[in-house]
């Protein structure tokens, strides 16, 4: 006797009923897009904080300061990749994030650089990078306070633990996915350079990093945004016609 496969699936309806339900959802999607645009506009109006420390990172071409990482650009995006100095392999979730990266050449065209930084020594990063066949610009912050200052490594012996803008007590009381307030954590930080001075403009953690793996989504978290005319940006922000 043939047994039918018991596979979970959406309900089966007529074309007319499907279209009715789809249009309802479309309205919700449009409202979500409008709210996303509003949040991006608010993000572009966030103030910024001057970076007082001088951070040095080790890369394939030698030591680089945080300012060096900008090259000739004014905006710098740093992905905090979880890789403890004792680990042989990087975090699976962070690995998936890098795997999802596509063509990011638009970032360079919009005055923006992306780098990946981890606390593991460069030799381990290079070995893992080679295994994965990646070409990302990946540097080591080993021996630096960078990870601790931007809450990508938590250690109360170095600095009071804080993750996603919550201290240990607030995190314990929070509802949702529990975070171990110790060791490596993932996140993404944005910096801006003006006249040789570096400023911290934004950091996001946990699910805030979801989907930040294409050029437009990454540009959305920078002060200048996508730099397109449809955006609500402060006076003087660089903008171009959306389809130019």
């Amino acid at each position: 006797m043939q047994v039918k496969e018991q596979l979970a699936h959406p309900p089966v309806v007529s074309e007319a009923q499907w279209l009715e339900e789809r249009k309802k959802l479309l309205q919700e999607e449009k409202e979500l897009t409008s709210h996303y645009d509003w949040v991006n506009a608010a993000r572009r109006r966030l103030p910024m904080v001057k970076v007082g420390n001088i951070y040095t990172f080790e890369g394939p071409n030698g030591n680089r300061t945080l300012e060096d990482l900008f090259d000739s650009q004014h905006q710098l995006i740093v992905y905090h990749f979880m890789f403890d100095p004792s680990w042989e392999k990087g975090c699976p979730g962070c690995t998936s994030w890098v795997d999802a990266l596509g063509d990011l050449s638009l970032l360079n065209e919009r005055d923006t650089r992306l780098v990946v930084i981890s606390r593991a020594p460069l030799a381990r990063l290079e070995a893992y990078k080679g295994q994965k066949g990646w070409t990302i610009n990946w540097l080591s912050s080993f021996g630096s306070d960078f990870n601790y200052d931007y809450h990508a490594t938590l250690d109360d012996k170095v600095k009071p633990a804080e993750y996603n803008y919550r201290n240990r007590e607030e995190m314990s009381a929070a509802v949702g996915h529990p975070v171990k307030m110790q060791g490596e954590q993932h996140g993404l930080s944005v910096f801006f350079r003006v006249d040789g001075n570096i400023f911290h403009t934004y950091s996001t953690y946990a699910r805030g990093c979801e989907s930040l793996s294409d050029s437009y989504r990454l540009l959305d978290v920078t002060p200048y945004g996508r730099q397109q005319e449809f955006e609500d940006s402060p006076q003087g922000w660089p903008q171009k016609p959306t389809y130019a």
Side-chain angles (χ1 to χ4, degrees):
M1 181 178 70
Q2 185 178 8
V3 179
K4 291 186 178 180
E5 183 180 10
Q6 298 298 311
L7 181 68
H9 61 77
V12 178
V13 297
S14 66
E15 183 74 19
Q17 185 177 347
W18 178 88
L19 184 59
E20 180 182 356
E21 295 297 322
R22 178 64 189 95
K23 286 183 176 180
K24 289 180 183 178
L25 181 60
L26 178 61
Q27 185 58 39
E28 299 290 339
E29 291 173 340
K30 288 181 177 293
E31 291 179 9
L32 180 62
T33 299
S34 294
H35 186 68
Y36 183 75
D37 287 343
W38 182 90
V39 170
N40 288 339
R43 186 185 295 111
R44 288 190 292 276
R45 288 167 171 80
L46 278 176
M48 57 187 187
V49 179
K50 187 175 181 179
V51 176
N53 293 342
I54 297 177
Y55 300 105
T56 301
F57 310 95
E58 186 180 6
N61 298 317
N63 289 343
R64 306 287 301 279
T65 65
L66 184 61
E67 183 175 8
D68 291 335
L69 301 185
F70 283 82
D71 282 348
S72 61
Q73 314 290 34
H74 288 94
Q75 301 188 132
L76 175 69
I77 302 172
V78 173
Y79 182 77
H80 303 287
F81 190 114
M82 295 170 59
F83 205 135
D84 185 271
S86 65
W87 297 352
E88 295 294 334
K89 295 183 178 181
C91 157
C94 295
T95 296
S96 296
W97 183 86
V98 175
D99 282 339
L101 294 175
D103 180 3
L104 300 179
S105 58
L106 182 61
L107 297 183
N108 185 64
E109 296 174 17
R110 301 292 162 87
D111 199 15
T112 305
R113 287 267 294 164
L114 170 70
V115 300
V116 177
I117 293 178
S118 300
R119 200 163 60 93
L122 181 64
R124 297 207 173 190
L125 303 184
E126 286 289 288
Y128 193 59
K129 179 179 174 179
Q131 292 173 21
K132 301 298 295 182
W134 292 339
T135 59
I136 56 172
N137 190 4
W138 200 358
L139 301 101
S140 170
S141 63
F142 186 73
S144 162
D145 289 334
F146 183 77
N147 272 48
Y148 301 100
D149 289 346
Y150 292 96
H151 312 291
T153 300
L154 310 182
D155 187 343
D156 286 322
K157 295 178 182 178
V158 179
K159 190 170 187 174
E162 176 188 302
Y163 187 67
N164 207 13
Y165 305 98
R166 290 171 173 165
N167 59 30
R168 189 177 297 279
E169 182 179 349
E170 292 169 330
M171 188 62 75
S172 297
V175 177
H177 183 70
V179 174
K180 182 180 179 182
M181 297 290 281
Q182 180 69 33
E184 307 306 298
Q185 304 294 338
H186 77 285
L188 183 143
S189 295
V190 181
F191 300 89
F192 195 81
R193 181 173 61 175
V194 183
D195 296 329
N197 295 309
I198 301 172
F199 300 86
H200 175 223
T201 67
Y202 182 76
S203 285
T204 188
Y205 305 93
R207 293 194 65 191
C209 298
E210 287 184 359
S211 300
L212 298 181
S213 55
D214 68 80
S215 294
Y216 280 138
R217 293 297 186 183
L218 287 167
L219 287 171
D220 284 341
V221 300
T222 66
Y224 283 163
R226 302 185 188 188
Q227 302 165 44
Q228 295 180 330
E229 288 181 342
F230 83 89
E231 294 175 299
D232 175 12
S233 293
Q235 185 70 30
W237 258 226
Q239 288 189 314
K240 302 176 181 179
T242 300
Y243 296 107

